Amino acid sequence: MAPKLDLAVDRRSDTPLGTQLADRIRAALSDGTIGPGDRLPSVRELAADAGVNVNTARALYARLEAEGVVRSEQGRGTFATGPSRGDAATRRELRRQIAQLEAALARLPPPPTLAGGRREPAGRAAPSLLSTDDLGAVRDELFARLRELEAQRDAVLRRLEHLEVDETVRQPSPRRDTPSLAGARIRWVGA
C-alpha cells in the first residue's frame, strides 16, 4: 500500500470535492509520494478518509481510470499507473477520433446481407480500459471499415449508372413500416 495520502478537502472552496481529490492524487503521483503500481485506498477507505460520499469516491476512481492515471482490478483494488501528460492527451485525441468515426459509421445504412457473404465479426470481450495502442487499433479498424463502406457505396452507384437507374433515395412514407393493429377486429374467445 502507498504511504498515507493527504486527502483533506476544502468544503468552502468553489472547486468540487471530486476534482480536489483527483488533483491530490495526481499531485501525489507527480511528486513521487505514490508511484506506478502502488495500491490506493479502497473506495470506502477513500470516502472515509476524505469525508466524502462513497459515490463521489467511486466516480473519482472511474474518472482517473478513464484518464489512465489509475487502474482497477476486480477483487484486488485500485493501483496507480501514472502516465505522462502527453499520454493522456493522446488518449483524449484517440477517443475523440473514435467518436467521430463511430458517428460517421452510424449515419451510413447497414451493409446488405449477401448469401454466402462475409461473416459478422465475433463479439468483443467485456468492456475494459484500453491502452493507448488499443485505442489506436480501434481507430484504425474504424477507418478501414469506413473506407470499405465508401468503396461499396461507390460500386453500387457505378452499377446504378450502368443500369441507368435513378439514384434518388426512397423517402420514408409518413406511415409506419411496422404492422399495426389499428382497425383490426378482435374476436373474444374465452370462458
Side-chain angles (χ1 to χ4, degrees):
M1 181 101 147
K4 189 76 172 162
L5 294 172
D6 177 23
L7 298 173
V9 292
D10 180 8
R11 293 189 175 276
R12 290 173 285 164
S13 171
D14 290 337
T15 307
L17 300 178
T19 303
Q20 291 180 41
L21 288 171
D23 292 343
R24 296 259 181 186
I25 291 174
R26 284 189 201 101
L29 272 167
S30 64
D31 70 13
T33 304
I34 56 175
D38 285 348
R39 187 171 182 275
L40 297 174
S42 71
V43 170
R44 291 183 188 279
E45 290 170 348
L46 176 68
D49 291 348
V52 297
N53 188 295
V54 173
N55 292 327
T56 301
R58 188 174 291 122
L60 165 70
Y61 277 163
R63 182 182 343 151
L64 291 175
E65 188 170 11
E67 292 174 11
V69 176
V70 301
R71 68 176 166 31
S72 296
E73 296 180 15
Q74 182 71 29
R76 291 194 60 216
T78 303
F79 299 88
T81 57
S84 66
R85 283 208 181 277
D87 189 33
T90 302
R91 293 173 62 82
R92 263 193 309 279
E93 177 61 20
L94 286 170
R95 282 195 300 268
R96 186 190 64 75
Q97 290 176 3
I98 288 170
Q100 286 178 334
L101 288 168
E102 286 175 336
L105 285 170
R107 286 190 299 269
L108 296 174
T113 306
L114 301 175
R118 225 175 73 203
R119 265 185 348 177
E120 286 299 316
R124 293 191 178 212
S128 63
L129 181 65
L130 298 176
S131 69
T132 303
D133 293 337
D134 292 338
L135 286 171
V138 168
R139 181 202 53 204
D140 295 343
E141 286 177 29
L142 289 171
F143 271 133
R145 180 68 179 138
L146 190 58
R147 283 191 298 269
E148 180 182 315
L149 289 172
E150 287 172 349
Q152 287 175 359
R153 179 183 170 273
D154 292 341
V156 168
L157 289 176
R158 281 194 303 276
R159 283 189 216 132
L160 289 174
E161 284 175 7
H162 178 69
L163 296 172
E164 297 177 2
V165 174
D166 184 17
E167 60 183 78
T168 58
V169 177
R170 179 178 75 92
Q171 294 298 320
S173 66
R175 297 184 59 180
R176 297 181 353 178
D177 290 335
T178 57
S180 171
L181 293 178
R185 291 185 184 185
I186 301 174
R187 191 175 114 199
W188 177 258
V189 179

